Amino acid sequence: MTFPDDLPRSPTGRVPAWVQQEAQGMAPAPTEWRTPPSAAYPPAPWSPTPYVSPRKRRRTRAMVTGVVTLLVVLALGMQEMLPWQTSSDLTNSAWRADGVWRGDTAPDDRTRTPTPGYGEARERLLPAPVVVAPDDSYAILTIADPYAGEAVQHPLTWSPCRAIEYVVNTEGAPEDFTERIADAVAEVSAATGLAFVYAGPTTEVPTVERARYQPERYGDRWAPVLIAFADETEIPRLADNVVGLGGADASYDPTSELFRAVTGIVYLDITLTDELLLWGEPAYVSVLRHELGHLVGLDHVDDDEQLMASGGPVREFQAGDLTGLAELGNAECAPGV
């Protein structure tokens, strides 16, 4: 079908599915990733932020051996090795004025939530970080109020009084994937003062419709953050040049009267296991750091000297990134979720 030129499009020129549906007069379906904690408080919009590479190669999960092939390439600069850029079509996802979510799939249960306060302590678990070199080159992800609309924005923050649990699906991943994750998570923990706990491996497969509450698998608590490699057959948003998705799912906390992050995902495209080592670490690690930044609440910034820029050669957190991470770690406790 041919669509008018004035419709929103991704950087690759594609018209997003929700735009196609609206253009055809079809009501978009809600998604279970935004399961409301109650009828009174609908869930916060959840928009995993994509990472894009024009060098991506298509490959199916079945072909992955889990071994990174080391190639020697001379005279390649960092810009060529890390030409990641980000599309904006997902970050614009939001509740519409009519209360209909522009999502991908319909939920199977919009009422299931865990008992509030799992793992919540009375005080923060780790000391608040100290910023050595403050820099204002950062941006904080915000959540539009589902009732007030875009005019009222809530910052996306995690409770510093409970650990952020995460699980890892190692299918198709390099042998040291879990260790690489632990190192990157430790960097984010030190920068935010948020505690992270590795809850172990999981067989849960990456999915767009991931439920944030899975008592049959994880018990009476919010599902841990899922970190995994995936391909475009599992996650359609990893098609074309997108090589990573990351973000948090939030729930309304009546104690702070804010939406607080309760779980999330970090998905890395399986083709990243083919990329070169960069200064002693696999190429996917810089993407992992970037997506972990989104997970804890950092947005993109228009500064190519920061890791959270939508493109550029940076592979580690810089002064602006670290300032933003420290701010995100100074939230209130959230015993109500």
Side-chain angles (χ1 to χ4, degrees):
M1 177 177 180
T2 301
F3 295 96
D5 292 336
D6 59 348
L7 290 180
R9 295 175 182 269
S10 71
T12 62
R14 295 189 307 167
V15 179
W18 66 267
V19 176
Q20 297 179 29
Q21 293 172 345
E22 290 185 349
Q24 299 176 64
M26 299 170 56
T31 170
E32 73 177 29
W33 282 49
R34 290 82 181 177
T35 304
S38 70
Y41 299 104
W46 184 92
S47 299
T49 305
Y51 225 177
V52 181
S53 168
R55 298 176 60 231
K56 175 179 171 181
R57 295 180 297 281
R58 293 173 181 261
R59 186 177 66 171
T60 63
R61 250 173 120 79
M63 297 171 61
V64 176
T65 62
V67 178
V68 177
T69 302
L70 306 184
L71 302 177
V72 178
V73 179
L74 301 178
L76 282 180
M78 189 67 166
Q79 182 63 35
E80 182 175 355
M81 288 184 178
L82 284 179
W84 318 126
Q85 296 184 356
T86 306
S87 110
S88 60
D89 57 330
L90 294 183
T91 58
N92 291 330
S93 297
W95 282 85
R96 303 190 315 193
D98 58 7
V100 178
W101 174 255
R102 299 192 308 224
D104 298 311
T105 58
D108 58 3
D109 189 337
R110 296 183 60 83
T111 60
R112 301 172 70 195
T113 58
T115 302
Y118 174 87
E120 185 82 7
R122 293 184 177 180
E123 299 178 348
R124 63 179 305 129
L125 302 180
L126 297 177
V130 177
V131 179
V132 177
D135 189 304
D136 61 2
S137 292
Y138 69 92
I140 303 298
L141 286 168
T142 59
I143 302 170
D145 191 288
Y147 294 114
E150 297 291 334
V152 178
Q153 297 285 325
H154 302 281
L156 177 63
T157 56
W158 294 77
S159 170
C161 304
R162 77 175 72 178
I164 300 174
E165 295 186 305
Y166 69 94
V167 291
V168 179
N169 184 323
T170 59
E171 182 184 352
E175 292 183 358
D176 62 349
F177 185 43
T178 301
E179 289 73 20
R180 296 286 187 181
I181 293 172
D183 291 341
V185 162
E187 294 178 30
V188 176
S189 178
T192 58
L194 298 174
F196 284 76
V197 171
Y198 175 44
T202 183
T203 58
E204 182 188 359
V205 298
T207 174
V208 174
E209 313 82 10
R210 186 180 187 240
R212 60 183 186 171
Y213 179 47
Q214 303 178 45
E216 297 82 3
R217 182 184 294 271
Y218 297 115
D220 187 24
R221 55 174 173 167
W222 297 108
V225 172
L226 175 61
I227 304 178
F229 278 99
D231 63 31
E232 62 193 64
T233 64
E234 297 165 307
I235 308 297
R237 288 172 178 172
L238 290 176
D240 298 323
N241 294 325
V242 178
V243 293
L245 292 170
D249 192 357
S251 181
Y252 183 81
D253 174 29
T255 60
S256 63
E257 298 184 344
L258 295 172
F259 286 98
R260 310 303 298 278
V262 292
T263 187
I265 60 95
V266 171
Y267 295 159
L268 306 177
D269 192 271
I270 197 67
T271 60
L272 286 173
T273 60
D274 286 338
E275 299 294 335
L276 304 174
L277 285 180
L278 300 175
W279 284 269
E281 66 182 19
Y284 74 78
V285 175
S286 61
V287 182
L288 172 63
R289 291 192 185 100
H290 181 102
E291 300 306 337
L292 286 171
H294 287 312
L295 175 72
V296 296
L298 282 182
D299 202 349
H300 291 129
V301 63
D302 294 328
D303 181 354
D304 288 343
E305 296 183 357
Q306 307 300 319
L307 177 62
M308 297 310 296
S310 59
V314 179
R315 66 186 184 88
E316 296 180 330
F317 292 117
Q318 302 300 310
D321 304 315
L322 294 172
T323 303
L325 289 170
E327 179 177 326
L328 288 165
N330 276 303
E332 303 174 20
C333 295
V337 294

